[in-house]
Amino acid sequence: MAGLVGPDGEVVAIDRSEQALAVAQATDADLGVAHIQYRAVDLSGDVPDLGRFDAIVGRRVLMYLPDAATALERLATMANPNAVLAFQEHARTTLPAGLGYLALHRQLYDWNWSTVKAEGGDLGLALRLAELMQQLGLSVEEARGEAILLNPNQPSFLPTLMRAMLPRIVERGIATVDQIDPDTLAERLKEEHRAAGGVIVWDLAFLVAARAQRSLAEQSALRRLGAS
């Protein structure tokens, strides 16, 4: 984002995790990019006035909030007229899918999404996002889904994902370490994929991009005029 904005602009990066912000700040910035201001902000509560923006973007943010609609409305109040608001979120669907029997892949998929649900994640938010934006008076300009593929004869990222998710899965009582068996997981996944053949569609990410034709304050004023 800082590269797209350029050296004459500014990016405000927010996260509720101080640790995540520290990791981001430790990353070397390329020359010729916008200055990045890092702020610890929890979108599930009151959001401080961070300024006014020409673009507001997020990835896998709204789906983890207890009230995504309210958070989106708060963010939209910071959008300049004609600003872009774009969010990419994931949703639980009937995946994974492929040419053959994928019992292990589907078990891992279910364990991951069941953990997200147990943590309070909204498994269908991505499928309602365009509607939420329209209800705020935003003009949806693009809505698309992007498939995450597991290609044959290439190492799968799933063993790494499962090791990262393992503490969360166990803590929520979704599955045990023995059930997942991370030490043999890579080989078992490889064998199942080899038997099925072809590409496996693992997950879907949904992007919705909208434009704020007027600020929310202007919209409220127009609604009041219409009511009177």
Side-chain angles (χ1 to χ4, degrees):
M1 288 306 302
L4 291 172
V5 172
D8 295 330
E10 183 177 17
V11 172
V12 178
I14 65 173
D15 199 287
R16 64 184 176 187
S17 167
E18 294 278 6
Q19 182 180 6
L21 291 171
V23 171
Q25 286 178 282
T27 303
D28 291 335
D30 294 328
L31 296 176
V33 303
H35 169 71
I36 305 174
Q37 177 189 156
Y38 296 90
R39 297 281 299 273
V41 176
D42 187 349
L43 292 176
S44 63
D46 293 333
V47 180
D49 188 350
L50 300 170
R52 297 294 176 268
F53 299 93
D54 297 317
I56 298 173
V57 301
R59 180 178 180 273
R60 292 177 66 98
V61 173
L62 300 176
M63 61 182 285
Y64 289 105
L65 299 177
D67 188 347
T70 297
L72 185 60
E73 183 173 14
R74 289 169 178 161
L75 289 171
T77 62
M78 303 178 197
N80 286 323
N82 210 39
V84 172
L85 291 90
F87 289 87
Q88 185 188 59
E89 306 288 337
H90 288 235
R92 185 173 191 168
T93 59
T94 56
L95 296 175
L99 296 176
Y101 188 57
L102 300 172
L104 178 57
H105 284 79
R106 288 174 180 160
Q107 182 66 82
L108 299 183
Y109 184 89
D110 287 341
W111 281 339
N112 275 289
W113 276 109
S114 295
T115 301
V116 172
K117 181 179 180 181
E119 293 173 339
D122 188 337
L123 308 192
L125 184 277
L127 303 177
R128 305 192 309 274
L129 185 53
E131 184 179 14
L132 290 178
M133 287 186 166
Q134 290 171 338
Q135 289 171 352
L136 288 175
L138 303 173
S139 176
V140 174
E141 295 191 344
E142 184 175 8
R144 70 169 188 257
E146 181 177 298
I148 298 173
L149 305 179
L150 302 174
N151 292 303
N153 303 317
Q154 291 183 0
S156 171
F157 67 85
L158 295 183
T160 301
L161 171 65
M162 294 309 296
R163 285 188 180 276
M165 288 289 297
L166 186 59
R168 295 164 58 185
I169 291 172
V170 172
E171 181 183 358
R172 296 295 176 177
I174 304 302
T176 66
V177 175
D178 288 341
Q179 286 176 301
I180 297 171
D181 193 5
D183 292 335
T184 67
L185 184 59
E187 187 58 36
R188 287 183 289 131
L189 286 168
K190 182 178 179 180
E191 182 58 35
E192 185 172 84
H193 196 166
R194 184 187 300 114
V199 168
I200 295 174
V201 182
W202 167 253
D203 204 0
L204 288 173
F206 297 89
L207 169 74
V208 181
R211 196 172 292 277
Q213 296 177 328
R214 297 185 177 91
S215 69
L216 289 191
E218 290 174 321
Q219 292 182 46
S220 297
L222 289 173
R223 284 195 293 267
R224 287 195 297 270
L225 286 173
S228 62

